[in-house]
Amino acid sequence: MKIATMATGGIGGFLAVRLAQSGHEVATIARGDHLAAIKANGLTLEAFDGTVTAAPWKATDDPAEVGAVDAIIFGIKGNDLESAAEACRPMLGPETVVVPFLNGVEAADRLAAILPPENIGNGVAYISTTITAPGVIKQTGEFSTFVFAERDSSTSPRIQALRDAINEAGSNAPPIQDIDRELWKKFVLFAAVSGITSAARCTMGDIVANEALGEVFRAAVAETVALAQARGVDLPETIADDTWATVLQMPPMMRASTAIDLEKGRPLEIDWLSGAVDRLSKAAGLDAPVNRMLCALLSPHRDGH
């Protein structure tokens, strides 16, 4: 397959290396020092099972140099979606599928408002990665699961081809029945983890150990669950308890990427996480005071330093 990663951050970089290793033609869209390092030395992945370096088919900051591809792995920050979507146009062919792996639950709809809806899929990634240096991606956990489908949850030939490619490359891309349920299951957890580890400058261990923080976390989760139910998302009845059980199994020192972005002075995705819970709840006739508070506490840092 011809596959482009837009952009080549933690998720895109991980898949770019794995897929290139498997023999696929991978174009990495990047910029600045990161792009320069990829061009000079290839893209390095420090994975849990070893360190490997792959040379992309193309490395560029100009998608027009790539042309039409079979699939675009769209893994960028929510704040950058519009500009990145527009930049994808030269890489779209009639059968190209754009698979978003973004935080939140609105990426596919936002993409479909900019690009041809028939080119848009939907997805959620379960992986922990970061850029540790220009041209270097580090995997910080052993899991790497990528759940995606067409926007109506169906499996088309292009979706199956990308699943096969990812599975053959050593990660997990399972068949699914309901992509919205998958997105919201992660969103219920991540919106709360993001908001609280950022606003409280704390770790998951702090949330478990501090009764007051634990109560705030569970209240944030309850608001997101209520929103999902109001929108007709088919979540398990035990989703709130399941989410807390997941929290208890998380590494105590873990924080959300939002907390790390805050620490480093980067822009924050709060409008697509706690802010989205508040905004979408209002549209559904619900109130989400905890998520509204979390978004407000972080709002002075929305644009970074």
Side-chain angles (χ1 to χ4, degrees):
M1 296 181 70
K2 284 187 176 181
I3 301 167
T5 54
M6 183 71 177
T8 310
I11 292 175
F14 174 90
L15 285 173
V17 172
R18 291 302 199 201
L19 291 166
Q21 277 189 300
S22 294
H24 298 280
E25 292 182 301
V26 180
T28 55
I29 312 302
R31 60 187 177 184
D33 292 343
H34 191 46
L35 174 59
I38 296 171
K39 284 184 172 181
N41 306 309
L43 185 60
T44 297
L45 172 63
E46 297 176 349
F48 75 94
D49 57 352
T51 298
V52 292
T53 299
W57 162 51
K58 291 186 179 181
T60 181
D61 58 3
D62 183 6
E65 295 181 4
V66 177
V69 296
D70 299 311
I72 299 173
I73 304 298
F74 194 87
I76 54 96
K77 293 290 188 181
N79 299 347
D80 299 324
L81 182 144
E82 284 78 10
S83 59
E86 288 289 352
C88 284
R89 290 188 184 277
M91 299 188 293
L92 295 181
E95 294 300 321
T96 304
V97 61
V98 182
V99 180
F101 291 123
L102 279 73
N103 292 324
V105 292
E106 300 170 275
D109 288 342
R110 294 173 66 199
L111 281 171
I114 299 169
L115 300 175
E118 60 269 21
N119 285 117
I120 310 302
N122 206 354
V124 58
Y126 294 93
I127 187 169
S128 182
T129 53
T130 186
I131 299 176
T132 57
V136 181
I137 307 296
K138 182 178 179 62
Q139 182 183 11
T140 56
E142 295 188 13
F143 52 93
S144 61
T145 297
F146 302 91
V147 180
F148 56 95
E150 298 290 353
R151 293 176 68 209
D152 63 0
S153 298
S154 65
T155 297
S156 62
R158 64 187 186 178
I159 289 291
Q160 190 59 53
L162 185 57
R163 283 182 188 161
D164 290 344
I166 291 174
N167 284 325
E168 291 164 6
S171 292
N172 183 32
I176 60 164
Q177 300 297 319
D178 188 338
I179 188 61
D180 289 329
R181 178 171 57 199
E182 297 298 328
L183 262 70
W184 279 85
K185 281 169 60 178
K186 181 177 179 180
F187 187 54
V188 165
L189 171 67
F190 190 73
V193 171
S194 170
I196 294 174
T197 61
S198 302
R201 275 68 164 178
C202 71
T203 66
M204 296 307 297
D206 294 325
I207 293 172
V208 172
N210 186 301
E211 183 178 352
L213 274 179
E215 289 179 358
V216 173
F217 184 94
R218 286 189 287 270
V221 165
E223 290 176 357
T224 312
V225 170
L227 172 60
Q229 291 171 339
R231 291 170 66 96
V233 180
D234 183 23
L235 289 178
E237 293 183 2
T238 58
I239 184 65
D241 291 337
D242 294 344
T243 300
W244 184 247
T246 298
V247 168
L248 296 177
Q249 298 299 316
M250 287 181 167
M253 296 307 295
M254 180 179 172
R255 297 180 294 162
S257 56
T258 316
I260 297 170
D261 288 341
L262 175 68
E263 183 179 271
K264 295 184 179 297
R266 300 169 182 156
L268 305 182
E269 294 183 285
I270 55 174
D271 291 332
W272 314 110
L273 296 167
S274 297
V277 177
D278 180 38
R279 171 169 42 80
L280 296 174
S281 292
K282 288 178 180 176
L286 302 174
D287 193 20
V290 174
N291 280 280
R292 182 164 60 252
M293 174 194 67
L294 292 171
C295 186
L297 289 171
L298 293 167
S299 62
H301 312 283
R302 177 183 279 107
D303 299 324
H305 285 323

